[in-house]
Each structure stands twice: as C-alpha cells, then as structure tokens.
Amino acid sequence: MREETQMTIDFGIKNAPRKFAKTLAAGIALGMLALPGAAAAQERVKVEWWHALGGRLGEVVEKLVTDFNGSQDQYEVVAVHKGNYEENMAAMVAAYRVGQQPTIIQAAERGFMTMLNSGAVVPVPTLMEEQGHDVDWNDFIAPVSGFFLVDGVPAALPFNSSTPIFWYNRDMFKEAGFDAPGETWQEVEKQLYAIKEQGVSECSMALANDFFWSLIENYAALHDQPYGTLANGFDGLGTEFVFNKSPLVVGQLERLSKWMDDEVLQIAGQGLSPEQLFTSGTCATYVASTAAHAGIGSGAQFDWSATFLPHEEGVEPKNSTIGGGALWVLQGKSDEEYAGAAAFIDFVASPETQVWWSKQTGYVPVTTTAYNALKSEGYFKENPTREIAILQLSRGEPTENSRGFRFGNHNQSMQLLVEEIQGVWTGQKTAQEALDNAARRGNEILRQYERLHASQ
Amino acid sequence: MQVDPFGAREIFVGFANFAQLLGSPDYRQSVFFTLWFTVIQAVVTIALALLFAFATDFVIRGRGLYKSVILMPYAIAPVISGVLWAFLFNPAVGPLAQFIQSLGIPWDPNRRPFDAQLLVIVASVWKHICYDYIFLVAALLAVPQSLLEAAKLDGARPVRRFFTISLPLVTPTIFFLMVMNVVYGLFETFGIIDAVTRGGPAGATNTLVYKVYQDGFVQLNLGSSAAQSVILMIIAILFTVLQFRALERRVNYQV
C-alpha cells in the first residue's frame, strides 16, 4: 500500500516539469506562428530531398546542392542520404504514411511503376507548369525519353541515368596478349580463361551486385529477347515474365555459372564491394554501370578502360536499357516548397548542370543539348569511355524488347530472381529450373500488382 | 489485406497472405532454418558460456583480462561485428577464409549454403556468449561454498563437483538463459545476418525475422510481411510455452 502511494507521488513530481516544458513549447510554437513574416522573410524555404547516392557520388550530390543553394537566396535544398535505393524508398514510404515525406525523392528505374501508380506524386511537368518554368521535354535523348515519357511527358525528372558497360584492366589484357576485350561473349570467354590460365590474375571478372541488371536484363534487351509479354509491361499491367523461355537468356546464366565454377568469375560477398575487387587490381574485368567512372576514375592505379557490352556471335546487338534514378515530387507539401522544388529541378535540368554532373559522375547526359555541348568541347575525344554508355543506349532502333522494363513491384521480382540465381551458384538448381521458378514466382507478384491496381 | 506501399489502395484478401506463405517452399525453408538455427545457437551458446564460467575460477593470473575478453563482444554493435565476420571469412580477401582454404577445406559462404549458415551461427554465438557468461558466473558464485567444500573433502574432483553440485543448482539460471537465447535467436540476430550474409545464398540463412524485414521494408510487400509477423509471434509464444512446460519441471529452484 505504502509503495503505491509513493509511486503516485513520484509520478506527480516527475510529470510536473514535463508538462511545463510542453506548455512552453506550445507557447513558443504559437508565438512563432503569430509573428508575421518578419523572421520568415529572411529565412529560406527548406526543400528536403532524399537521395540514394553514397561514396564518391554522394560527394558530387553535396556539391550540386551547395551550388544550387549558392545560386539564389530564396530556397535551401537539404539533401539527405537515406542509404541505397531500397532503403531510400522504404524510408520515404514510411514517412509518407505519417505525413513526414520529403518534397523530392530519388527513386530507381525499378520503382518507376510503384511511383507512377502510387497516387502520391505530383507529375514533374505539372509542377513546372504551375510554377512557371518552361522545360523542353523533347530535348531528352531518345533512350531516356523512351523509358520515362508517359503520354509524351515524363512523370519524373530523369536525373542520374546510366547503363552497364564492360570495364577492363588494360595492363592485364596486354600481359595476357590481348589489345582489348573481344566484341562477342565467345571471344571474351577465351580471353577471361586465358587471363586465369596464364596466371595474369586469379580473378578474371568480378560479379557486380546488380548483375541481374547488367548481365541478365540488359542481356535480354541487347539480344532482342522478350523479358515479359506486352512489350515488357509497357502495354499494360497484364504482362507476364517470359525470360525463362529464351534459350539465349538461359544460356547466359549457364555461362556465368560455368565461369563461377571455374573460378573465372568471382562474387565479392558481404563486407567487400565488387568494384573494389576491380579497382584494387584483383579482378581483370567488371560489368557495371557507367556511373562507376566516379569510383574507378579516382581509385584505380592501373591503366583501366571500358568498352561496349559483349554480345553473342552472329547477333546484331540492340541498345541496352536505361537504369539509375529519377527525381519525383511528392504530394502534400506547401506551395513554397513546391516553388523551391521546381527551381531546383530547373537547375538540375539545365544544360550547364547536366554537363557538369555527367563529367563528375559518369552518368549519361540526359538531354541532347548537354550531349552536344560535351561533344563540341571535345570531351569525348579526351575521355572516350564516357561516350560508350550513350552510344550503346542509342544503338540501332529500339524494339519492344529493348525499350526498358515496366513491371509492377519489379523490385520484388528482381529479389526473387537473385535468390533463384543464387540457387544455381550453390549447385541446387539448373539455370533453367531457377529461371522457371523466378518467372513463376515473379508472375504471382505481377498478378498481385494487377489486382491491386485493376481499377486504373 | 493487400496494400500498396503508400496506403492509397487496399484489398481485403482474407487469409490469402497466410495461404500463400504456408504454400511457398521458400517460406518453409525459412521456418526450418530458423528453428534449427535458434536451437543450435541457444544450446552452443549456453554450453560454451558454462564452460567459460566454470573455468573462471581456475584462471588465476589475468582474471580481469579473461573476463573482459569474454565480455567484449557485447559492447560491439551487431552490424559492426557482422561486417568484421563477413570480412574475415570473405573467400576473396578474408585472412581467416584463406587460412581455412590453406588447410584444404573448401570455404565459400557466397556459394555454399552450409558455410554461410555455419558462419551466421558462429557469429551469433560469439556475440551472445558474454550475456550468458555474466549470468552463469553470478549463478556459480551463489553456489554455497560449504557444499563444494564438503564434496571436496569427500574427494570429488572439480569436474565431478561441477556436474553434481554446481550444475543442478544453477539450472534456474540456465533455464532463464535458454528462454533468452531462443528469443535472441529468433529476433535479435537480424543485424548479424544483414551484415554477414543478407539471408543468402539462395535464402539459406533467411531467418523469419530477416524475411519480415526483406519483404516488408526492402520489397514493400506489406501484406505478406504483416502476415509473417503474426506467424512469427505465434512461433515465439509457442516456443516459450513449450520451454516452460518441458524444461521447467527439471529446474530446481530450491537451494
């Protein structure tokens, strides 16, 4: 009994200062509201932007934001690095549901459908029009517009666009007696085995973490193989995965699996990034995004170069597909914040920023104006590897199979695909079984998505 | 309930999420792995902690150092220790991995599911030994000295004394630790798994908790993730109830 009384008293005392603090805080908040613009006029409008670029790329983003903030005195963009694309997305979704979302969010190409059908975004063209900015949406280079345009206008601003290219250690290739990597997978295979067998390097190729994108999805696009029905999902939500029915794609996975068994191809694993394996001179080649220019350019101590992705013998390769992120504007923000967001997007889309951004990072210049500006200053003559991505993206006439991928919840089916492919590497499944499983499980996800979005 | 990540669309699907989970082989694989992972982890952790605690009395020099070495892992954040383990045992660059390979034992947690499972178990045991150790040292100190001395006079050697006197007297602590270890294995090994294997290869180390996170927060499949949380809760309750019923009878609370 005595104890209970004691406790009540304790609680009473403990709560008293807290209550006081609350009242005080409320009072201050009210006071701030009541004060007319006096302080607010000096204060810049803060526009929050959550992005997914870390490492060297993160530094470039910081510089970009500082430059924007220095270029005017009305808005202040606050860039927050929330982790990788998935973490960024999850953080944004959680924040959105409680009304704490940022104004601008960078989402990967894989989240395109999720964002597009979310009902949570303000289409960038609408925003720009409302805020009185004039943007020429026809200026985007074809591969970018082919993916991002919905009914002629983009739903988001293509920001960091990339495509995978073939990185190689030229010193190692020379040592093994080759000038450059071959153009076909067959030639490349011989070279990789030669590098291993001649003892030039223990590891001929490092497997990128996003290999499903660079070596599977882009392989399908490059070889004009259907990845899903209905033009890879461009023509409707009823799309189904069919990559398991392409002998070429199955063959590609078998090839990778064989390389891995022969220790020509290596997984970096946790605790180590595959890019480090290449940059440190351990592995001779690496298939990854052109954005690796930022890291490899500043880190590699050897004669590195890059070239186009290999293709099968006797096949005319198509274009590769676009990857990377776009800037989406979310609903539920104030008018000033939208004005700030529009100003920032205008700044990012300007040719000057595009040229600078592309040089700093290795990402593709997304507008024709920026591309031409880089060309006319002779930038690609000095840095030929910088042009590979854009040439590869615009190679040939895009087909239904090479335009890109629009699958609902593509992130989920991609994770499944990776899990199934790991089953091949552990020797539990054949390539065909793994791809069949991945397609079957992926289709369940597509149907789920279709059901949920049927009313559209 | 199926829901889009932004909460704008929802369909009520009854038990479809549960049906889909129970029908999926990878979910069953995950349940299976979680169970044996938890049990092995709990038993090994307690056994080792008991051994170390028993040995404490026999460490004459540097007992303080001995204790702090054992207690250290508890002070390291799970993700950091996970990264350390992943790095040390990385087949390409890890010194310990290269040592194992030089012994002629194939080692590749990226491609051999068993290696990955072993690595996760070792890492989580290492992380949790200190917790059990503290409790067991305290419990062993509480064993009445008079009983031990009586046994000593009767000629019982240290090991015999331990098994016939100390061990029965610390069973309440062991039982408590068993429950705690199971809860740890089920829920708190998340950080280690995320850093060491990310649930791979091919879902070999995908525990139920990690799957809830993967499906819910990475893939944004909230309906399925919520269903998994419910199942996980049921499993945790079942486990604890079972332990109380099966083990508690043998626990001796009387000194």
Side-chain angles (χ1 to χ4, degrees):
Chain A
M1 217 37 219
R2 248 186 84 195
E3 267 179 31
E4 264 177 21
T5 343
Q6 193 96 37
M7 264 168 67
T8 0
I9 293 168
D10 271 359
F11 269 116
I13 294 170
K14 266 187 201 151
N15 266 0
R18 224 184 274 161
K19 257 187 198 157
F20 175 63
K22 258 190 192 166
T23 329
L24 194 69
I28 292 173
L30 270 176
M32 280 170 73
L33 278 178
L35 274 178
Q42 306 297 320
E43 196 97 337
R44 291 159 158 238
V45 176
K46 285 206 164 104
V47 179
E48 225 175 302
W49 170 33
W50 291 3
H51 67 89
L53 298 174
R56 176 80 192 98
L57 292 173
E59 291 164 22
V60 184
V61 165
E62 283 304 320
K63 178 81 173 62
L64 174 77
V65 168
T66 317
D67 285 354
F68 171 74
N69 290 340
S71 73
Q72 40 72 47
D73 57 6
Q74 277 179 292
Y75 313 108
E76 184 185 347
V77 168
V78 183
V80 185
H81 178 218
K82 284 274 170 184
N84 61 25
Y85 283 120
E86 283 90 33
E87 286 159 356
N88 195 33
M89 190 87 163
M92 182 268 292
V93 162
Y96 183 82
R97 299 188 88 166
V98 292
Q100 302 283 326
Q101 71 272 30
T103 314
I104 310 176
I105 173 92
Q106 180 198 21
E109 94 285 351
R110 212 164 288 279
F112 187 81
M113 291 294 274
T114 309
M115 293 302 294
L116 185 68
N117 294 333
S118 66
V121 298
V122 180
V124 167
T126 317
L127 173 85
M128 299 309 269
E129 210 182 307
E130 278 172 12
Q131 302 293 342
H133 291 278
D134 193 22
V135 185
D136 179 11
W137 302 116
N138 296 319
D139 194 31
F140 287 116
I141 57 167
V144 171
S145 60
F147 181 75
F148 282 102
L149 296 199
V150 179
D151 304 326
V153 285
L157 181 80
F159 173 55
N160 53 325
S161 296
S162 69
T163 205
I165 57 177
F166 190 94
W167 298 88
Y168 65 99
N169 182 327
R170 201 185 268 151
D171 291 341
M172 288 185 178
F173 269 74
K174 282 209 181 109
E175 205 182 322
F178 306 109
D179 291 333
E183 283 181 16
T184 66
W185 282 106
Q186 284 72 16
E187 291 169 61
V188 167
E189 178 162 49
K190 274 182 208 134
Q191 293 174 328
L192 295 183
Y193 273 81
I195 287 172
K196 173 99 184 172
E197 277 152 19
Q198 294 176 17
V200 176
S201 169
E202 270 298 294
C203 162
S204 301
M205 184 185 270
L207 186 76
N209 287 336
D210 55 2
F211 72 91
F212 49 87
W213 172 64
S214 51
L215 291 170
I216 306 289
E217 290 172 359
N218 267 290
Y219 177 91
L222 213 71
H223 292 85
D224 201 10
Q225 300 292 306
Y227 199 83
T229 56
L230 296 177
N232 285 344
F234 272 76
D235 291 348
L237 297 179
T239 175
E240 268 180 38
F241 288 120
V242 290
F243 51 77
N244 58 324
K245 292 179 183 134
S246 154
L248 280 182
V249 174
V250 177
Q252 166 78 345
L253 184 53
E254 277 165 356
R255 167 164 39 217
L256 295 176
S257 165
K258 175 174 153 255
W259 289 2
M260 202 166 286
D261 287 341
D262 297 336
E263 291 176 358
V264 166
L265 175 63
Q266 276 189 18
I267 307 178
Q270 296 298 311
L272 185 68
S273 96
E275 189 176 308
Q276 279 171 333
L277 279 179
F278 178 74
T279 318
S280 65
T282 311
C283 294
T285 62
Y286 177 49
V287 178
S289 160
T290 179
H293 267 112
I296 292 174
S298 61
Q301 301 296 322
F302 50 85
D303 185 11
W304 57 268
S305 188
T307 184
F308 296 90
L309 289 177
H311 55 85
E312 298 294 338
E313 237 162 27
V315 172
E316 183 69 32
K318 291 280 168 197
N319 61 299
S320 57
T321 66
I322 204 107
L327 300 184
W328 299 78
V329 178
L330 294 173
Q331 288 192 343
K333 305 305 279 190
S334 70
D335 221 26
E336 293 93 55
E337 283 169 304
Y338 283 137
F344 181 61
I345 285 175
D346 196 49
F347 176 79
V348 170
S350 72
E352 297 77 39
T353 313
Q354 280 299 317
V355 166
W356 174 83
W357 171 253
S358 174
K359 279 185 186 172
Q360 292 292 314
T361 59
Y363 279 113
V364 175
V366 288
T367 56
T368 316
T369 318
Y371 179 42
N372 288 339
L374 281 167
K375 245 205 281 201
S376 62
E377 69 176 77
Y379 183 71
F380 295 130
K381 288 230 169 60
E382 282 167 47
N383 306 281
T385 55
R386 292 302 185 104
E387 202 178 13
I388 294 167
I390 197 163
L391 291 178
Q392 184 175 271
L393 278 168
S394 14
R395 178 169 58 192
E397 191 63 34
T399 68
E400 284 193 341
N401 299 326
S402 72
R403 202 158 28 139
F405 308 95
R406 277 206 195 144
F407 301 115
N409 287 338
H410 196 184
N411 205 25
Q412 288 178 35
S413 30
M414 176 273 282
Q415 304 269 0
L416 289 179
L417 177 71
V418 172
E419 198 182 301
E420 291 293 339
I421 291 181
Q422 285 178 345
V424 180
W425 293 334
T426 59
Q428 292 160 322
K429 289 173 185 143
T430 66
Q432 184 70 59
E433 281 166 4
L435 291 177
D436 285 349
N437 272 342
R440 182 180 48 76
R441 291 170 67 186
N443 284 335
E444 283 171 21
I445 289 167
L446 289 178
R447 293 295 73 76
Q448 221 176 52
Y449 188 83
E450 192 186 5
R451 249 197 330 271
L452 195 58
H453 291 85
S455 54
Q456 275 193 344
Chain B
M1 187 76 95
Q2 246 171 38
V3 57
D4 96 320
F6 293 86
R9 294 156 180 282
E10 296 174 346
I11 322 176
F12 183 71
V13 291
F15 285 96
N17 281 325
F18 289 96
Q20 199 218 351
L21 277 178
L22 299 177
S24 96
D26 52 291
Y27 191 68
R28 287 199 297 266
Q29 181 195 340
S30 173
V31 172
F32 187 65
F33 171 70
T34 308
L35 294 186
W36 76 260
F37 165 77
T38 306
V39 170
I40 291 190
Q41 177 271 129
V43 171
V44 172
T45 309
I46 289 190
L48 285 177
L50 203 52
L51 180 70
F52 290 141
F54 171 62
T56 309
D57 271 346
F58 300 92
V59 178
I60 309 293
R61 264 192 211 175
R63 190 176 292 175
L65 184 71
Y66 174 77
K67 282 184 182 167
S68 24
V69 166
I70 292 184
L71 295 184
M72 215 155 47
Y74 211 63
I76 304 175
V79 174
I80 295 179
S81 60
V83 170
L84 273 176
W85 280 92
F87 182 77
L88 288 175
F89 286 91
N90 185 304
V93 292
L96 288 177
Q98 271 152 13
F99 173 70
I100 296 175
Q101 280 164 348
S102 70
L103 297 177
I105 305 168
W107 172 263
D108 189 352
N110 296 327
R111 297 193 59 198
R112 294 161 50 93
F114 181 72
D115 293 359
Q117 293 170 342
L118 196 65
L119 188 57
V120 171
I121 290 178
V122 171
S124 40
V125 165
W126 171 81
K127 186 89 184 73
H128 209 57
I129 275 186
C130 35
Y131 181 87
D132 292 11
Y133 174 82
I134 298 172
F135 279 89
L136 287 171
V137 165
L140 286 175
L141 278 179
V143 171
Q145 210 58 36
S146 54
L147 286 177
L148 290 173
E149 274 165 13
K152 203 172 179 179
L153 289 177
D154 288 341
R157 301 198 151 271
V159 175
R160 173 91 190 259
R161 291 206 296 272
F162 173 75
F163 278 107
T164 51
I165 297 172
S166 306
L167 192 60
L169 288 176
V170 297
T171 42
T173 309
I174 294 185
F175 172 66
F176 160 74
L177 288 176
M178 206 67 191
V179 176
M180 293 309 286
N181 283 5
V182 165
V183 172
Y184 166 79
L186 280 178
F187 296 102
E188 285 164 44
T189 45
F190 170 84
I192 286 180
I193 290 178
D194 191 47
V196 176
T197 61
R198 299 208 160 229
T205 53
N206 211 349
T207 57
L208 291 172
V209 167
Y210 195 66
K211 209 167 150 52
V212 168
Y213 161 77
Q214 276 284 331
D215 290 358
F217 292 93
V218 178
Q219 308 191 6
L220 299 175
N221 188 356
L222 300 176
S224 172
S225 182
Q228 290 177 33
S229 311
V230 172
I231 296 182
L232 187 59
M233 185 183 72
I234 295 173
I235 292 180
I237 292 174
L238 271 183
F239 237 100
T240 313
V241 169
L242 266 181
Q243 278 178 319
F244 268 94
R245 301 204 70 136
L247 292 176
E248 204 184 15
R249 286 184 202 152
R250 300 174 186 216
V251 172
N252 182 5
Y253 284 110
Q254 309 290 319
V255 174

